[in-house]
Amino acid sequence: MAKILIIDDEETVCQSMSLVGKRAGHETACARTLAAGCRMAADEAFDLVFLDVRLPDGNGLEMLPRLAQAPSHPEIVIMTGYGDPAGAELAITSGAWDYIEKGSSVKDITLSLVRALEYRKQKLSLSGRQEVIALKRENIIGNSPALKACLDAVARAAVSDAGVLILGETGSGKELFARAVHQNSRRCDKPFVVVDCASLPETLVESLLFGHEKGAFTGAEKARDGLVSQAHGGTLFLDEVGELPFTAQKSFLRVLQEKRYRPVGGAREVESDFRLVAATNRNLNQMVEAGTFRGDLLFRLSTFVIELPPLRERKEDIKELARYYMDKFCEDNGLSPKGSCPEFMETLQAYSWPGNVREFINTIERTVLTAREQPVLFAQHLPTQIRVQVTQSAVNHHETAAAPPFQLSPPAQLPKLNDFRDSVYTQAEKQYLCDLMALAQNDITTACNLSGLSQSRLYALLKIHDLHRSA
């Protein structure tokens, strides 16, 4: 018997879903808000969660990663009364088992429930037999849910020789994760060879990759091994693989399939047993559609795909990153360890970091060297452009919040008075609810006390205006 949690604000949905679960022989529990559901998931061990999207106090899709990290790590099925392809994609990529519409048949819902629990049983059975091995994660700092998901993917990829494709924005740490795949694989004591595809001259790409014989072309005064040969037994890392010249993609595809290649000007083929890891900040699927990247090569590259989050999506890691690199650069430069004031960390967390971790590391190094012997880092030690952007963002936010809820200048045409009154009333009511939830710090009980509304009426108004407690 499994334990199932249903998070939905509609009583009829809770009752019907409970009935489906009980008929299948399982124990069920219901929560009418996200907050209550998260508390229950934190306090009790659930195997499966049915999660509504639109709830009085938030969006279920936004809370999905947090629920997935509950102590029992339940499987999650998203339920919605509003079918949305983008929402379905977000749900699946965020780790949901399934995405179903509330109008689905009992048979379809039951099938999703049964399959999710079968998968969970198998997963738990296998995990119980596996040895716990500490993952080598040199210079990968942080423990946010988004980063942990990537490290889990590294662990799964490392135990095989299948191709790995690492996706992420510039500066997000793709090479660090490629090295982590190598360091945790059986090839860890063999070479890790980096190929910067963006810097490969198109006229010399095959020579650099596959090597050449003496006299193969003008300037080839002696035979030379290529990068593929150097990676024999180890890992070949194609950095920015989207920049690999199209003419070289066919040749490289054959090397991947056969593990054999012919050096430029060579008379015989040479073998190289390497494991391939590739990385890019480009959309390779779009490149395939545009005819600038081979689809068959993409298939070979992407047996495992690891998508790295940008730093702005894992701000929980910023304090740990800052502390690590502050200590590192102090030690590297013979300086005493430094502390920091709260505003220093707040500024780091408020900045958008378009250059991601690479920009962050450079900023911390520059800040430490700017402060030199000063024992405490203040926001004023940070580069001016960072402080300017953070300040401007705060000012823009305040101006937006202070903007009037309706247009003050007279329109070209006037609506009927009753229609206008209704429109103004609706906008004023919505603004009041926004201000109320902000003042109550998203606490429903406090909001009810402040407004004089009953809890059921407040929930109804929030739903009417499509507001959430995080609004």
Side-chain angles (χ1 to χ4, degrees):
M1 180 178 71
K3 285 189 68 174
I4 300 171
L5 174 61
I6 301 150
I7 305 177
D8 198 294
D9 61 324
E10 297 181 34
E11 186 175 354
T12 54
V13 173
C14 288
Q15 290 175 345
S16 59
M17 294 300 297
S18 292
L19 187 59
V20 170
K22 289 175 181 177
R23 282 179 176 173
H26 305 298
E27 180 183 342
T28 64
C30 296
R32 303 291 290 276
T33 66
L34 268 178
C38 288
R39 284 196 299 269
M40 292 176 69
D43 295 338
E44 302 178 47
F46 288 98
D47 299 287
L48 178 63
V49 175
F50 283 98
L51 176 62
D52 189 16
V53 173
R54 297 190 177 186
L55 287 151
D57 56 341
N59 186 306
L61 289 175
E62 295 174 0
M63 195 59 66
L64 194 158
R66 178 179 167 185
L67 279 168
Q69 293 299 315
S72 58
H73 298 287
E75 306 305 323
I76 299 176
V77 173
I78 292 291
M79 302 185 298
T80 179
Y82 310 88
D84 175 17
E89 179 183 0
L90 178 60
I92 300 304
T93 55
S94 298
W97 166 261
D98 203 357
Y99 183 93
I100 61 175
E101 294 188 49
K102 290 183 179 179
S104 301
S105 67
V106 172
K107 179 180 178 182
D108 288 341
I109 294 172
T110 303
L111 181 61
S112 182
L113 181 154
V114 169
R115 292 289 182 262
L117 291 177
E118 286 177 349
Y119 170 78
R120 178 174 177 79
K121 182 178 179 181
Q122 177 178 278
K123 183 174 69 173
L124 293 177
S125 174
L126 290 173
S127 65
R129 297 204 305 262
Q130 292 174 345
E131 293 183 25
V132 177
I133 301 174
L135 193 71
K136 299 174 186 175
R137 47 180 290 184
E138 185 178 355
N139 291 329
I140 299 176
I141 310 301
N143 288 289
S144 63
L147 192 66
K148 285 183 178 179
C150 294
L151 291 170
D152 288 343
V154 168
R156 291 192 296 271
V159 297
S160 78
D161 270 346
V164 179
L165 179 62
I166 303 174
L167 306 176
E169 295 179 4
T170 298
S172 56
K174 295 186 289 294
E175 184 171 338
L176 284 180
F177 277 82
R179 289 185 182 276
V181 171
H182 173 73
Q183 290 166 354
N184 289 280
S185 73
R186 63 180 180 84
R187 299 173 180 265
C188 60
D189 58 341
K190 301 296 183 180
F192 178 83
V193 178
V194 179
V195 180
D196 183 2
C197 297
S199 65
L200 289 175
E202 190 164 355
T203 54
L204 296 175
V205 61
E206 293 202 8
S207 171
L208 292 170
L209 287 174
F210 309 133
H212 60 258
E213 297 295 335
K214 180 180 179 180
F217 51 85
T218 302
E221 298 177 356
K222 60 180 180 179
R224 178 169 294 178
D225 288 338
L227 296 170
V228 171
S229 174
Q230 295 172 26
H232 178 66
T235 300
L236 185 69
F237 174 48
L238 297 186
D239 193 16
E240 299 306 340
V241 68
E243 309 301 326
L244 187 66
F246 193 81
T247 53
Q249 292 176 23
K250 182 177 180 180
S251 301
F252 196 78
L253 178 64
R254 182 176 181 275
V255 176
L256 280 179
Q257 293 170 334
E258 307 295 334
K259 299 297 184 183
R260 300 176 66 84
Y261 63 95
R262 191 189 304 275
V264 177
R268 59 187 179 84
E269 290 190 331
V270 180
E271 290 187 1
S272 180
D273 171 28
F274 63 90
R275 197 265 179 87
L276 183 71
V277 178
T280 184
N281 62 1
R282 302 186 66 180
N283 188 321
L284 296 185
N285 288 311
Q286 289 183 358
M287 293 181 67
V288 170
E289 292 176 4
T292 57
F293 199 86
R294 293 182 64 99
D296 45 6
L297 178 56
L298 177 57
F299 292 142
R300 294 298 301 234
L301 294 177
S302 54
T303 304
F304 285 98
V305 178
I306 302 174
E307 295 190 49
L308 304 186
L311 184 55
R312 63 182 174 273
E313 292 181 7
R314 57 182 188 98
K315 291 192 173 182
E316 310 99 304
D317 294 329
I318 283 181
K319 286 186 178 180
E320 189 175 350
L321 274 165
R323 186 71 268 163
Y324 176 85
Y325 282 105
M326 283 163 58
D327 291 344
K328 179 181 186 301
F329 292 128
C330 283
E331 183 178 349
D332 290 349
N333 292 279
L335 301 171
S336 299
K338 297 184 183 300
S340 63
C341 71
E343 291 76 18
F344 176 80
M345 290 296 180
E346 289 170 6
T347 304
L348 292 179
Q349 291 179 312
Y351 184 57
S352 60
W353 299 110
N356 290 295
V357 177
R358 182 181 299 150
E359 181 187 7
F360 185 90
I361 294 171
N362 290 338
T363 297
I364 296 299
E365 182 176 23
R366 176 178 170 182
T367 302
V368 167
L369 294 178
T370 298
R372 293 303 299 176
E373 302 298 336
Q374 298 176 43
V376 178
L377 296 180
F378 292 86
Q380 284 71 15
H381 287 119
L382 290 167
T384 302
Q385 73 273 15
I386 290 179
R387 293 189 289 121
V388 167
Q389 186 188 104
V390 170
T391 303
Q392 287 176 334
S393 297
V395 170
N396 290 337
H397 175 74
H398 291 150
E399 288 180 350
T400 302
F406 53 87
Q407 185 178 1
L408 295 177
S409 57
Q413 294 181 340
L414 285 173
K416 298 294 184 182
L417 178 59
N418 286 340
D419 293 340
F420 179 74
R421 183 187 290 120
D422 290 342
S423 173
V424 172
Y425 177 86
T426 298
Q427 292 182 53
E429 187 177 74
K430 183 173 183 178
Q431 185 63 49
Y432 174 86
L433 291 170
C434 288
D435 294 340
L436 173 66
M437 297 309 294
L439 184 61
Q441 296 183 336
N442 293 326
D443 181 80
I444 291 293
T445 301
T446 303
C448 289
N449 292 335
L450 290 171
S451 64
L453 295 169
S454 67
Q455 195 171 91
S456 59
R457 179 58 179 160
L458 179 56
Y459 278 146
L461 288 172
L462 290 171
K463 192 160 189 176
I464 287 171
H465 293 286
D466 197 26
L467 295 174
H468 312 302
R469 284 172 61 180
S470 57

